[in-house]
Amino acid sequence: MPPPADIVKVAIEWPGAYPKLMEIDQKKPLSAIIKEVCDGWSLANHEYYALQQADNSNLYITEKNRSEIKNGTILRLTISPAQNAQQLHERIQSSSMDAKLEALKNLANLSRDITFAQEFINLDGISLLTQMVESGTDRYQKLQKIMKPCFGDMLSCTLTAFVELMDHGIVSWDTFSVAFIKKIASFVNKSAIDTLILQRSLAILESMVLNSHDLYQKVAQEITIGQLIPHLQGTDQEIQTYTIAVINALFLKAPDERRQEMANILAQKQLRSIILTHVIRAQRAINNEMAHQLYVLQVLTFNLLEDRMMTKMDPQDQAQRDIIFELRRIAFDAESEPNTSSGSMEKRKSMYTRDYKKLGFINHVNPAMDFTQTPPGMLALDNMLYFAKHHQDAYIRVVLENSSREDKHECPFGRSSIELTKMLCEILKVGELPSETCNDFHPLFFTHDRSFEEFFCICTQLLNKTWKEMRATSEDFNKVMQVVKEQVMRALTTKPSSLDQFKSKLQNLSYTEILKIRQSERMNQEDFKSRPILELKEKIQPEILELIKQQRLNRLVEGTCFRKLNSRRRQDKFWYCRLSPNHKVLHYGDLEESPQGEVPHDSLQDKLPVADIKAVVTGKDCPHMKEKGALKQNKEVLELAFSILYDSNCQLNFIAPDKHEYCIWTDGLNALLGKDMLSDLTRNDLDTLLSMEIKLRLLDLENIQIPDAPPPIPKEPSNYDFVYDCN
């Protein structure tokens, strides 16, 4: 007979004593269980004790998280969070440097636990830590010269504890003084400082900026871009990541009127070229967090274009109309204007109308009207002028090539430039806030100060080339734009490292090549409609679905590393989950760092029997997506979120690293529960495998005997005299 579900068998440790094996009744109050344990070791005052996970997490067991205790868990009897917090609060104020340092190390370790953190914060521990940071450097300035390593360790432990405590979101960031901000900023501004202190200081500044408008203004006064730049020129990728994170935070929270000013400062300080040299082209791999921060910087930079993108042209604004005149002048090299007599005025208007038609504007009489649609608004005109001034030969060639044609195959430069600008804004998501989970940065946009404009120039020449290859007319305009969009997106998918490489990728994606790719994809996805084929599909579909199911379950057995997220910022905290080979138990547990390869079952502390799973929910239905916070409202995070519901009011919450892993896990979990696999990935895999299987079965194999075993490998020849060396 199986044991009751509420009884869990655990081991409990106590320093200096043999561990105890005991059964815990989850229905009993936790205080009663602790009393029973204390009585077994003859310990008085059981209220001063608590149970704690014996692994590296040191997590205190509370009424809220006690459901996470599983059979085989190792616990530790220790002093209660309140007692521990009280003792550490006193010891970090000790006059003994060694005792103080030891207490700060323990505090930094324990502060990750929210139960302990709450108790320490209740003792006004945050204020104590800020006072130690503010006054510590002055108090120990003399000691620093003779005890520099000890001082550095103390400060780094103090800052680590502060970061961990604030990470729980219990205390508001608005409560900190200018003196504290100045002190943290001074650590960042020092040329030589301990790496850990610098990391923690940058993390604190980033959190201040992101979580408080008042603190943003104070931090912006203390930290300049020039002071952050040297940290990007080092070799420590962690420091570089934190530095870019601070720059991104300042950029994101800056008022609209200050963002362009800040962008100009970044350009003056050559931030882009420094990142390109010391980060993107450094001789090391870019980790996920760095990729995310580069993506955020890319998005924020492109979002500077939003104002122009959403600005309509004022047909009465002479300065704006002069831009159109300049486009015409560069293209047709107009001679000096005739005298403005009534006759010459009419002649000039007629000439302008003819030239505007050649330039490809829809409104030949007043082309300013073409720029009244938003998006792309004035951004399209800016791009056209940039192309005309910085790539003048190419601009004149494109305009004259099409204006001289009389066979209705001319590509309208004005109209196509407006639509192309709009399309590029959609591809690069100009105006959208950066996602919390995306790492999709493109190195090519860090290779030029005017990368968007250069990107446009390459694409507008591509459009003209594709138009000629398609022998398109004005009726084919939308078809051409669709082909160009496909060419651009396929080229970007390859992650070209420079604009020249992007250009060469586009050269290989001619209209003929796109047709071949489309035809190949169409053949792979061909849906045969005849009745015998449909019957064959129906017959083999179950075995294909079973094949997909086994693949999903095998992937769950391999497991996946998930990243822990919170509303403050992306943390490098990981946890791993995998299915047991017999498909009966999910093993999961926290990791110190992202693993290289699979994580063994025995190193994962927690278990969840598949039989206990009640349901799998996704998106907005997930418990962790119903909580408040800016992160929880992010669309892309919602699309990657899923939760396993088990027992009563218990859940295991996930945010998949990407859409592919999301589909793998939701499919696999549904398969374990005997439900249908409904993801897009399953539909695509089913279509592909069905198509392949049907084509194999329809091959003309009459009178051809297919062997059951592969043919034997022939013996090596006695000599290789038959080999001809082309050199």
Side-chain angles (χ1 to χ4, degrees), residues 431-628:
E432 294 186 21
L433 285 174
S435 160
E436 289 283 348
T437 57
C438 187
N439 300 334
D440 190 25
F441 83 97
H442 294 281
L444 70 99
F445 293 123
F446 290 86
T447 61
H448 201 284
D449 289 328
R450 303 288 295 275
S451 59
F452 184 81
E453 290 87 344
E454 289 291 326
F455 188 56
F456 168 83
C457 294
I458 293 170
C459 292
T460 199
Q461 293 174 77
L462 167 73
L463 192 153
N464 192 58
K465 173 175 168 283
T466 302
W467 186 284
K468 288 190 287 187
E469 290 172 349
M470 293 177 67
R471 290 193 57 78
T473 65
S474 57
E475 294 175 355
D476 302 316
F477 187 85
N478 291 334
K479 291 180 184 176
V480 176
M481 295 306 297
Q482 287 172 6
V483 173
V484 171
K485 184 173 185 179
E486 187 172 344
Q487 289 170 314
V488 171
M489 293 189 73
R490 285 185 184 277
L492 283 177
T493 304
T494 64
K495 296 284 182 179
S497 59
S498 67
L499 289 162
D500 287 337
Q501 198 176 95
F502 173 68
K503 198 184 299 184
S504 65
K505 297 282 183 187
L506 291 176
Q507 289 293 331
N508 297 328
L509 284 169
S510 63
Y511 176 58
T512 306
E513 186 63 27
I514 291 292
L515 285 181
K516 287 179 183 177
I517 294 170
R518 285 181 174 180
Q519 187 174 358
S520 173
E521 291 176 350
R522 196 179 299 118
M523 286 176 66
N524 290 335
Q525 298 170 1
E526 199 169 26
D527 189 14
F528 301 102
K529 297 297 183 183
S530 65
R531 187 174 173 184
I533 300 298
L534 291 174
E535 289 177 357
L536 179 59
K537 282 180 72 174
E538 201 172 311
K539 181 180 177 182
I540 63 178
Q541 184 165 318
E543 62 183 86
I544 298 292
L545 281 171
E546 182 61 28
L547 183 67
I548 294 172
K549 174 183 172 182
Q550 290 305 317
Q551 188 271 341
R552 300 294 191 263
L553 294 176
N554 289 341
R555 279 288 290 104
L556 263 61
V557 170
E558 291 175 16
T560 301
C561 177
F562 296 92
R563 186 185 289 272
K564 289 188 173 183
L565 300 179
N566 58 46
S567 58
R568 186 179 72 85
R569 72 184 296 271
R570 290 159 51 102
Q571 292 287 325
D572 280 324
K573 295 181 181 178
F574 305 92
W575 68 288
Y576 199 89
C577 187
R578 63 180 298 182
L579 181 65
S580 62
N582 63 7
H583 299 174
K584 291 187 177 180
V585 179
L586 283 172
H587 298 263
Y588 62 96
D590 293 341
L591 300 175
E592 292 298 321
E593 58 185 3
S594 183
Q596 302 296 321
E598 293 182 21
V599 176
H601 293 97
D602 51 12
S603 66
L604 301 173
Q605 310 91 352
D606 301 306
K607 299 177 183 178
L608 171 59
V610 172
D612 291 351
I613 298 177
K614 307 297 183 192
V616 176
V617 294
T618 61
K620 292 181 180 178
D621 296 327
C622 296
H624 59 316
M625 292 294 107
K626 294 178 181 178
E627 300 168 12
K628 293 181 179 178

Side-chain angles (χ1 to χ4, degrees), residues 363-402:
N363 192 317
H364 308 150
V365 177
N366 186 6
M369 300 303 295
D370 287 15
F371 299 96
T372 55
Q373 179 190 355
T374 56
M378 288 294 292
L379 183 60
L381 189 57
D382 294 343
N383 284 340
M384 293 165 71
L385 183 63
Y386 182 90
F387 182 42
K389 285 190 169 182
H390 293 83
H391 300 271
Q392 192 164 321
D393 292 344
Y395 166 72
I396 293 172
R397 185 178 66 252
V398 167
V399 173
L400 295 185
E401 261 183 19
N402 290 288

Side-chain angles (χ1 to χ4, degrees), residues 699-704:
L699 284 174
D700 186 9
L701 299 177
E702 190 175 353
N703 299 324
I704 298 175

Side-chain angles (χ1 to χ4, degrees), residues 548-549 551-553 556 616 660-673 675-683 685:
I548 294 172
K549 174 183 172 182
Q551 188 271 341
R552 300 294 191 263
L553 294 176
L556 263 61
V616 176
H660 183 268
E661 286 296 320
Y662 170 85
C663 293
I664 291 287
W665 273 85
T666 51
D667 283 345
L669 292 170
N670 281 325
L672 286 173
L673 299 178
K675 296 181 179 180
D676 292 337
M677 299 179 291
L678 302 173
S679 74
D680 294 338
L681 185 62
T682 292
R683 281 196 293 274
D685 287 351

